Amino acid sequence: MTRPVQLTERINRIGPSATMAAVAEAEKLRQAGIDVVDMTAGEPHFTTPEHIKEAAIAAIRGNFSKYTAVGGTTELKDAIIQRHSTDFGSAYKREETCASVGGKHALFNVISVLVDHGDEVILPVPYWVSFKDMVRYAGGHCVLVKADESQGFRVTAQMVARLITPKTKLIILNSPSNPSGAVMSPEDMTEVVRLAQERGIWVISDECYVYLNYTDKNFSVGSLNEYRDRFLVVGSLSKTYAMTGWRLGFTLGPAEVLSAVQKLQSQQTTNPTSFVQKAAVAALSSSQQCVADMRAEYITLRDHIVGGLRAIPGIKCTMPEGAFYAYPNVSWFFGKSGIKCSADVAHGLLHTAHVATVAGEGFGTNEHVRISYATSMQNIDKALERMRKYFSEL
Ligand SMILES: Cc1ncc(COP(=O)(O)O)c(C=O)c1O
């Protein structure tokens, strides 16, 4: 007789990633021979720039294949610090820096060392799927701040301030945002970290899309040296340099927290892959033209898809100011052909129109679908055409 598997209460607190589930469902259809236009991608459609690949190949050939220091080589830490200082005017030291196996790993580690049982964590909605589960896994409880769609989902300091209680331990910011593409103003970000310092709260600023900010005010909280003892910046090379599979992210913040992060990392992954660190140094230290080129292309794709979505009767779509997602409101179709929520829309789009999107429910809203425009113009046109037909027939 087989015994039921008894898993921990901890693992039962979290669910699988909604975006990964959408990707898997689209893949099932593709395996069945259906031509699916995939708009679920949480990653650039570009390939990793050649000079970065060459650096990794040289590192492998040069046998750079041993363990390194847990938080990355000093060469990599210096490259992270220098890049951030040049771009945002920050001033971090090596002991305030840790390289991890992707931004997700960095976030998981920081949340694990800061959030305890019963702690409240303020999280803007819509949120990136993993924040809520990471907080829950750590034993915390998310207090959600609903961003105003009519204001482009921009989060303000005032919205956050209203939810601070004596139990608040942490505020999570993500600008530019996945999934809405909203960008917080530098003034609001500054006010949030000022408030955090005043009230003894932590801020994690997830800046994985910071180089895909399409406003003329690119900003990192890392530049706010006067409040630096209360916030952590999490960055990633994934989106910036089209390196999602390489897995290289980092945290910048107070040495005491970074030391705890490295202690945790020393008991799990140890260092990020050695030769990926060499590639990361090449990415961060050489010309940033590739980043500018990709950013310019994303702006063209964004303008095209948002224009196309807005031209579909019934769809409302805010203009994303960063990242590579459109987050259209599809609630006009609720009540038509049995559709009740955005999960039904995403299901219909996939199974009838053969366009894969991610339903808003995973991001905390049920009136939207997330559409990634990190794909070719040809794919965008194909998806728009299929969506136009699908919605017109509801
Ligand atoms: C908002 C946000 N933060 C962090 C990550 C993690 O990225 P990575 O682990 O590839 O660095 C992602 C990836 O999709 C993201 O969208």
Side-chain angles (χ1 to χ4, degrees), residues 21-31 34 36 38 40 350 356:
V23 171
E25 207 182 335
E27 183 54 28
K28 240 192 277 173
L29 257 70
R30 223 179 280 114
Q31 293 286 335
I34 295 169
V36 176
D38 194 349
T40 61
L350 180 61

Side-chain angles (χ1 to χ4, degrees), residues 42 101-105 107 128 131 174 176-178 206 208-209 235-239 244 247-249 325 370:
V101 187
K104 197 181 243 182
H105 182 216
L107 285 163
W128 175 52
F131 290 136
N174 173 217
S177 151
N178 173 6
D206 175 347
C208 288
Y209 294 92
S236 170
L237 275 66
S238 286
K239 324 285 173 171
T244 47
R247 315 306 301 131
L248 204 297
Y325 310 101
R370 190 192 77 174

